[in-house]
Amino acid sequence: IDLLRENGFNCFPIPKENEKGADYRYNGSRTKLNQIISDNENFGYIPLQGKGNCILDIDNKEKYRGQIVKAIEKGYVVIETGAGWQIPVIGLVDNSSKIELFDYGFKDNKIIEIQGINHYCMGIGSIIQHKKLGKEVTYQNVGGDKIMNVNGMDYHTFIENICEKFNVTSKKPNNTS
């Protein structure tokens, strides 16, 4: 929690019985800062406006394992989730917003999301009963203790880089038939 807060993320409590659903203490980009999170609660984290950060939320473990191993080797925080990974990112020159990215050759649904200032992810150590997987999942950091820093990149260039590195797109392909 401290590392995330020190890097411009707002961490807030989520009752364990709510699974991934936040309660009244979450209000998008207006969520109260520095809320107390008790030991018997999960927590979410959200990028803060004006802090130049976002969360790379990858929803497939096998397809992107190579890219994730590289991030782990570089010592970045990489949070393993039930279906994939999250990588908190800092160093953007502007605010982030939610975007869904696709690999239509692999599946029709989004495969990567970038969570911006109005969207949160579950935090390290949170435990949920994952409904899609039908099992308990603990969100754990399998990487290091460095937050990925893109060193002054603008948000659109960051998205273009993610699209290139992960072979994804934000657009549906044109049907020319």
Side-chain angles (χ1 to χ4, degrees), residues 53-112:
N53 54 13
C54 67
I55 306 164
L56 185 58
D57 190 359
I58 302 161
D59 288 336
N60 187 291
K61 285 189 178 178
E62 297 310 316
K63 183 164 179 52
Y64 302 115
R65 190 168 297 279
Q67 292 94 325
I68 295 304
V69 166
K70 288 178 186 173
I72 292 169
E73 288 171 350
K74 290 178 181 176
Y76 295 135
V77 171
V78 176
I79 303 164
E80 186 172 11
T81 70
W85 294 279
Q86 303 164 4
I87 301 175
V89 177
I90 60 172
L92 295 166
V93 295
D94 43 5
N95 286 318
S96 57
S97 58
K98 182 181 184 94
I99 186 165
E100 295 180 339
L101 302 172
F102 302 84
D103 179 347
Y104 290 107
F106 185 72
K107 70 177 200 169
D108 288 338
N109 299 345
K110 66 175 170 47
I111 197 159
I112 295 176

Side-chain angles (χ1 to χ4, degrees), residues 14-175:
I14 297 176
K16 283 192 176 173
E17 59 272 10
N18 283 19
E19 297 293 331
K20 289 166 102 173
D23 63 11
Y24 67 92
R25 296 173 285 186
Y26 168 75
N27 190 16
S29 62
R30 296 173 303 284
T31 301
K32 183 180 170 191
L33 296 175
N34 300 318
Q35 296 181 55
I36 295 170
I37 301 167
S38 69
D39 290 341
N40 65 344
E41 292 181 300
N42 287 328
F43 79 95
Y45 68 109
I46 184 171
L48 285 170
Q49 188 154 345
K51 297 295 184 180
N53 54 13
C54 67
I55 306 164
L56 185 58
D57 190 359
I58 302 161
D59 288 336
N60 187 291
K61 285 189 178 178
E62 297 310 316
K63 183 164 179 52
Y64 302 115
R65 190 168 297 279
Q67 292 94 325
I68 295 304
V69 166
K70 288 178 186 173
I72 292 169
E73 288 171 350
K74 290 178 181 176
Y76 295 135
V77 171
V78 176
I79 303 164
E80 186 172 11
T81 70
W85 294 279
Q86 303 164 4
I87 301 175
V89 177
I90 60 172
L92 295 166
V93 295
D94 43 5
N95 286 318
S96 57
S97 58
K98 182 181 184 94
I99 186 165
E100 295 180 339
L101 302 172
F102 302 84
D103 179 347
Y104 290 107
F106 185 72
K107 70 177 200 169
D108 288 338
N109 299 345
K110 66 175 170 47
I111 197 159
I112 295 176
E113 288 177 281
I114 300 173
Q115 308 294 359
I117 61 170
N118 283 306
H119 299 90
Y120 70 91
C121 288
M122 298 298 290
I124 299 166
S126 293
I127 302 169
I128 66 161
Q129 188 60 40
H130 199 292
K131 291 181 175 87
K132 286 182 187 172
L133 298 177
K135 66 179 184 176
E136 185 176 274
V137 170
T138 301
Y139 287 68
Q140 55 189 345
N141 182 13
V142 295
D145 60 0
K146 292 190 310 191
I147 304 291
M148 181 183 285
N149 189 336
V150 295
N151 298 312
M153 188 180 292
D154 72 75
Y155 187 56
H156 293 291
T157 302
F158 174 72
I159 292 168
E160 289 171 5
N161 285 348
I162 294 300
C163 288
E164 186 177 307
K165 285 180 183 168
F166 289 85
N167 194 28
V168 291
T169 182
S170 61
K171 298 179 175 77
K172 199 146 181 98
N174 291 333
N175 186 351

